[in-house]
């Protein structure tokens, strides 16, 4: 088989040991690393059709993988006005006023990234925006993507005039007289208003998804564990793949919602393994709760407003039955669980499923090479924002992957606990924020991601946040829970070898070794020696997936 790609004069970095390999060059054939060696010997493998790149001392790592990503949903939610840079209510009002003035009469205003912290102690309600959106139908997604602020005109067009009942945890928030305040909690409620707005065409959605994925490749990502496949999401991914326009390797977990019966479960199980050249369906995504910020997390004790007391599944035992059925079928689950009660229940469900078939899993790969404690089914818990000590220790014992997003702690909370998330939880629970270090030290396999569009997707920013835990917009501010920081090597492991282990692919991914996939990220310098506060700005010079360059710096 011919050699398709050769990289010369590189520094090859091993994320397991944290050291450089003795070789300086690699050759790719058939989408795999075919050889490692010195420049002279590897160069001799080239023919007239081989792409040869002189890296000039740049650092090659196994491809960076985002462990929790929503590309299809994100491409849709990020259309319109970006409010993520607004830190005050006046700033939000001004941005909305400018956007509204530019709209044609009757057009809908879409915005995203609204931070509830801008409301201070006021309720998150459309009334707080004053007269900015008078007669303008508007959908303003809060940054957590689990809630929305709808303008009075949008509610009117959607026919939302009072409270509604849903099969899952969701709410049209109303005042004492039963009138909607504009705040909609969770997807089922948000959808009431969104479906009333004009919808983008299939072509527009495909183009937005393709552009988002190209941006991810340019940022150094070679893959992502995708946690949404709603509607025609899989079809969009499949179309890009068939056209050779998919620049990331995607592992997709379709959703399973409360009320799913035997037929729905059977369909989810039968879809496992579907895919194409660079994507496949693997696993099922479930929700155990919502978010702390909007009071829909599931906590063992209510937050300071008396909220976050219920599971997303009205019957948590029904969730456990689904986990057990999927486990029996060999299907891994990925459960969104943010609050301590939600995480505990998700772990309990896995423990019961394992006990039923005797599949005790032992420890994972968090503090080692990702190969220990191999399990037949590798379940995951996503987010894990606040948990007590006894819960931390159970991850390794059950072999459950800890999938975490440290930039949420960096950018949406504050070290002094004056932010909305911390105020709601109180001092004790806020001090347990994103316990990456404790989970790692307990032996859990830690996987890092962005949860884009909730936070920016550039992986170097995620790696940096795991190390410094400071607000990315102002790195001079103090870190939130610096004792929970990961080392440079640990963070890199959690975006290379860690995701490979979580996917059961440690034998062919997450390493620079002959026979492994040629999914590669090339950086201008060593990410392990670059200071954490400078890492996000380290240039990406080349990204390759399946041995095919998906991004190349023009200067290379």
């Amino acid at each position: 088989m011919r050699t398709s790609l050769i990289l010369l004069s590189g520094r090859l970095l091993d994320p397991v040991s944290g050291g450089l390999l003795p070789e300086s060059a690699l050759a790719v054939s058939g989408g795999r690393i075919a050889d490692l060696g010195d420049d002279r010997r590897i160069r001799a493998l080239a023919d007239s059709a081989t792409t040869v790149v002189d890296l000039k001392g740049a650092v090659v790592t196994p491809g960076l993988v985002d462990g929790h990503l929503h590309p299809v949903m994100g491409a849709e939610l990020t259309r319109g006005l970006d409010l993520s840079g607004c830190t005050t209510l006046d700033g939000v009002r001004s941005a909305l006023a400018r956007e509204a003035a530019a709209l044609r009469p009757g057009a809908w205003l879409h915005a995203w990234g609204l931070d509830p912290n801008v409301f201070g102690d006021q309720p998150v309600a459309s009334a707080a925006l004053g007269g900015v959106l008078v007669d303008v139908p508007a959908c303003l997604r809060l940054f957590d993507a689990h809630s929305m602020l709808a303008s009075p005109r949008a509610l009117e067009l959607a026919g939302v005039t009072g409270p509604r009942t849903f099969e899952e945890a969701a709410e049209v928030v109303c005042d004492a007289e039963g009138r909607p305040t504009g705040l909609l909690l969770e997807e089922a409620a948000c959808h009431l208003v969104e479906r009333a707005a004009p919808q983008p065409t299939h072509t527009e959605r495909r183009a937005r998804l393709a552009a988002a994925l190209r941006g991810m490749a340019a940022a150094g990502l070679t893959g992502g564990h995708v946690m949404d496949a709603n509607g025609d999401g899989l079809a969009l991914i499949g179309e890009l793949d068939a056209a050779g326009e998919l620049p990331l390797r995607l592992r997709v977990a379709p959703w399973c919602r409360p009320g799913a019966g035997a037929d729905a479960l059977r369909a989810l199980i039968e879809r496992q393994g579907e895919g194409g050249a660079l994507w496949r369906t693997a696993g099922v995504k479930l929700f155990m709760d919502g978010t702390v910020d909007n009071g829909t997390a599931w906590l063992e004790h209510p937050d300071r407003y008396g909220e976050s007391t219920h599971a997303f599944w009205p019957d948590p035992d029904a969730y456990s039955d689904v986990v057990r059925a999927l486990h029996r079928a060999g299907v891994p689950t990925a459960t969104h669980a943010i609050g301590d009660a939600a995480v505990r229940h998700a772990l309990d469900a896995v423990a019961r499923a394992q006990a039923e078939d005797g599949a005790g899993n032992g420890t994972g790969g968090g503090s080692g090479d990702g190969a220990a404690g191999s399990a037949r089914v590798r379940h995951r818990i996503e987010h894990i924002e606040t948990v007590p000590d006894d819960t931390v220790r159970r991850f390794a014992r059950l072999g459950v992957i800890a999938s975490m997003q440290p930039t949420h702690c960096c950018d949406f909370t504050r070290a002094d606990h004056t932010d909305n998330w911390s105020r709601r939880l109180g001092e004790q629970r806020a001090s347990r924020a994103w316990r990456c270090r404790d989970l790692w030290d307990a032996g859990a396999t830690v996987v890092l991601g962005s949860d884009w569009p909730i936070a920016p997707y550039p992986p170097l920013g995620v790696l940096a946040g795991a190390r410094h835990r400071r607000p990315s917009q102002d790195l001079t501010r103090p870190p939130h829970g610096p004792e929970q920081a990961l080392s440079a090597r640990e963070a890199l492991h959690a975006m290379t070898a860690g995701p490979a282990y979580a996917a059961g692919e440690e034998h062919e991914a997450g390493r620079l070794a002959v026979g492994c996939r040629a999914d590669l990220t090339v950086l201008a310098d060593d990410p392990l020696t670059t200071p954490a506060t400078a890492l996000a700005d380290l240039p990406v010079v080349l990204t390759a997936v399946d041995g095919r360059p998906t991004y190349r710096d023009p200067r290379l």
Side-chain angles (χ1 to χ4, degrees):
M1 192 176 291
R2 59 174 290 270
T3 300
S4 60
L5 175 68
I6 285 178
L7 302 182
L8 301 172
S9 302
R11 289 178 282 164
L12 311 186
L13 182 59
D14 175 21
V16 175
S17 69
L20 296 174
L21 300 180
E23 297 86 1
S24 62
L26 63 82
V28 175
S29 179
R32 304 270 172 168
I33 298 174
D35 206 349
L36 299 169
D38 60 54
D39 284 14
R40 181 176 179 180
R41 186 173 68 79
I42 297 300
R43 187 191 294 271
L45 301 176
D47 59 27
S48 59
T50 304
T51 299
V52 180
V53 182
D54 184 346
L55 297 179
K56 301 180 176 63
V59 175
V60 184
T61 76
L64 298 177
V65 175
D66 191 309
H68 188 116
L69 196 61
H70 299 276
V72 179
M73 183 182 78
E76 290 203 23
L77 290 188
T78 55
R79 65 188 172 111
L81 177 64
D82 180 2
L83 295 173
S84 62
C86 297
T87 58
T88 66
L89 196 53
D90 284 342
V92 171
R93 292 189 189 109
S94 296
L96 291 173
R98 289 191 297 270
E99 188 76 3
L103 292 174
R104 67 181 187 279
W108 283 66
L109 189 156
H110 293 275
W112 58 282
L114 178 61
D115 187 344
N117 284 299
V118 303
F119 293 87
D121 288 328
Q122 297 183 61
V124 179
S126 57
L129 301 176
V132 173
L133 296 177
V134 172
D135 296 328
V136 177
C139 297
L140 316 179
R141 276 279 185 174
L142 274 72
F143 77 78
D144 62 7
H146 283 249
S147 48
M148 173 193 292
L149 196 55
S151 69
R153 179 60 175 154
L155 292 171
E156 178 186 356
L157 291 174
V160 178
T161 59
R164 297 286 184 92
T165 300
F166 302 95
E167 286 191 4
E168 58 198 49
E171 182 182 0
V172 175
V173 178
C174 296
D175 61 20
E177 283 73 44
R179 295 171 301 197
T181 67
L183 182 60
L184 307 170
L185 303 180
E186 298 302 331
E187 191 63 29
C190 296
H191 184 61
L192 294 175
V193 174
E194 285 181 323
R195 69 188 181 193
Q199 302 301 305
T201 66
H202 182 87
T203 300
E204 290 169 339
R205 294 177 62 232
R206 173 179 161 159
R208 286 190 59 82
L209 175 60
L213 292 171
R214 287 194 300 271
M216 293 174 190
L221 280 175
T222 66
H225 293 179
V226 176
M227 298 296 166
D228 69 284
N230 302 312
D232 63 349
L234 287 180
L236 288 169
I237 292 171
E239 285 180 27
L240 293 178
D241 186 48
E245 299 174 18
L246 190 60
L248 268 68
R249 190 183 301 278
L250 300 178
R251 182 177 190 267
V252 186
W255 288 5
C256 177
R257 290 185 175 276
D263 290 344
L265 279 180
R266 190 178 305 111
L268 285 168
I269 292 168
E270 290 174 352
R271 293 180 70 176
Q272 299 301 304
E274 285 183 3
L278 289 176
W279 72 277
R280 69 183 177 96
T281 302
V284 170
K285 169 74 179 297
L286 304 102
F287 290 81
M288 201 65 251
D289 65 352
T291 69
V292 169
D293 283 281
N294 68 22
T296 59
W298 186 20
L299 300 172
E300 294 179 338
H301 304 285
D303 67 18
R304 64 174 288 204
Y305 302 119
E307 298 178 336
S308 285
T309 58
H310 302 291
F312 183 77
W313 287 61
D315 179 4
D317 288 339
Y319 158 87
S320 301
D321 291 340
V322 168
V323 170
R324 189 159 57 248
L326 292 171
H327 181 83
R328 280 199 305 265
V331 178
T333 61
T335 297
H336 168 120
I338 280 178
D340 45 18
V343 176
R344 189 183 301 279
H345 189 88
L347 290 170
D348 287 345
V350 171
R352 292 191 197 102
Q354 292 175 353
E356 195 172 88
D357 67 3
N361 288 334
T363 59
S367 57
D369 62 6
S374 178
R376 183 173 70 87
V377 186
R378 294 176 186 172
H379 299 286
R380 309 161 48 126
I381 295 182
E382 311 295 317
H383 308 310
I384 318 164
E385 292 187 5
T386 177
V387 288
D389 292 346
D390 64 324
T391 302
V392 167
R393 292 190 290 268
R394 295 183 69 195
F395 277 82
R397 193 160 64 244
L398 295 170
V400 173
I401 311 299
S403 173
M404 306 187 75
Q405 300 76 43
T407 47
H408 294 197
C409 182
C410 296
D411 293 336
F412 304 137
T413 71
R414 300 171 189 155
D416 63 4
H417 296 172
T418 58
D419 59 280
N420 177 58
W421 184 91
S422 300
R423 289 200 317 271
R424 276 183 172 270
L425 288 177
E427 193 65 26
Q428 182 183 45
R429 288 181 295 194
S431 68
R432 304 170 181 160
W434 286 267
R435 299 179 67 176
C436 299
R437 160 59 49 204
D438 289 343
L439 282 158
W440 183 284
D441 287 347
T445 297
V446 176
V447 171
L448 299 181
S450 66
D451 197 17
W452 186 78
I454 312 308
Y457 57 68
L460 294 180
V462 176
L463 294 175
R467 293 168 55 185
H468 62 58
R469 294 176 68 97
R470 298 172 183 271
S472 58
Q473 308 255 338
D474 184 0
L475 294 173
T476 65
R477 290 173 59 188
H480 189 169
E483 72 282 356
Q484 294 299 332
L486 296 178
S487 71
R489 183 193 70 81
E490 291 162 351
L492 181 63
H493 186 287
M495 294 197 80
T496 51
Y501 177 82
E505 298 173 343
E506 66 272 21
H507 61 289
E508 62 176 353
R511 297 179 297 135
L512 297 179
V514 173
C516 285
R517 291 173 180 160
D519 295 353
L520 309 166
T521 302
V522 184
L523 306 171
D525 206 348
D526 189 339
L528 303 190
T529 58
T530 300
T533 52
L535 184 58
D537 297 322
L538 184 64
V540 176
V541 298
L542 180 75
T543 312
V545 174
D546 211 36
R548 174 176 62 92
T550 54
Y551 169 76
R552 183 172 177 177
D553 188 309
R555 296 166 294 182
L556 190 63

